[in-house]
Amino acid sequence: MIEYILIAIAVVLFISVIIIDFYCSSYFKKNEESYELLLSEYIGLNFDIDIMTNYAVFFGSLVYYQKIIWFGRLYKGVKMKYTIDRYVQKEAYQFEQSLPENKIQWILKLHCLYKIQAYITVLWLVMCGVLYILVHNQ
């Protein structure tokens, strides 16, 4: 009986991950023009950018998270290294933190949604692991 409950929970979690992913993808697409403007302005100021954000443009919806995380971390003031010897310029943080709410809020919301998706995915994996142990120990 417990197996059926766990299977139901695992299915709901899996479907939730898919729904969140579709929502995040459409939300990013809705704001893609804002992202492109922000990225071009940021690069135009010659600020450091990580390789993943720089090349994420070639991978479509698979890496939307990588496209936004750089700017989210700058906004939050997370200290990041650009190279082994050097941190990202302070001016890059100041630029990002001085953005008007309408330019950054959607990125922060999307980042939060991706974190929720990651937590649900981990919970789903744990649930599947518990199910596997229960089924194979009978």
Side-chain angles (χ1 to χ4, degrees):
M1 180 66 178
I2 188 91
E3 293 90 359
Y4 295 116
I5 294 170
L6 292 176
I7 289 170
I9 293 171
V11 168
V12 168
L13 291 173
F14 183 73
I15 291 170
S16 298
V17 167
I18 292 171
I19 290 170
I20 291 172
D21 190 57
F22 280 125
Y23 179 78
C24 287
S25 292
S26 64
Y27 192 69
F28 182 86
K29 284 305 260 181
K30 179 181 154 197
N31 291 287
E32 192 166 24
E33 189 176 313
S34 298
Y35 173 79
E36 296 298 333
L37 289 171
L38 174 62
L39 182 63
S40 65
E41 186 177 358
Y42 182 86
I43 290 172
L45 293 169
N46 209 25
F47 292 140
D48 298 330
I49 193 159
D50 71 319
I51 195 163
M52 285 302 295
T53 304
N54 204 20
Y55 290 106
V57 69
F58 301 112
F59 296 100
S61 66
L62 295 174
V63 292
Y64 284 162
Y65 177 74
Q66 290 299 331
K67 289 182 175 186
I68 63 151
I69 188 62
W70 182 261
F71 296 110
R73 291 178 64 133
L74 284 173
Y75 183 80
K76 292 178 180 181
V78 176
K79 212 169 184 190
M80 299 182 288
K81 283 200 169 193
Y82 180 64
T83 66
I84 293 172
D85 304 332
R86 183 172 68 80
Y87 285 96
V88 174
Q89 306 112 316
K90 288 183 172 134
E91 295 82 11
Y93 289 95
Q94 292 166 347
F95 166 77
E96 198 66 26
Q97 292 166 352
S98 70
L99 290 173
E101 281 289 311
N102 63 339
K103 279 191 169 185
I104 191 66
Q105 200 58 40
W106 74 271
I107 290 175
L108 300 175
K109 178 182 177 184
L110 194 54
H111 180 246
C112 182
L113 288 170
Y114 276 122
K115 284 191 332 189
I116 291 169
Q117 182 185 25
Y119 293 139
I120 293 172
T121 301
V122 168
L123 187 57
W124 174 74
L125 289 170
V126 168
M127 193 70 56
C128 289
V130 169
L131 263 169
Y132 179 81
I133 290 168
L134 283 174
V135 169
H136 285 331
N137 284 338
Q138 286 185 351

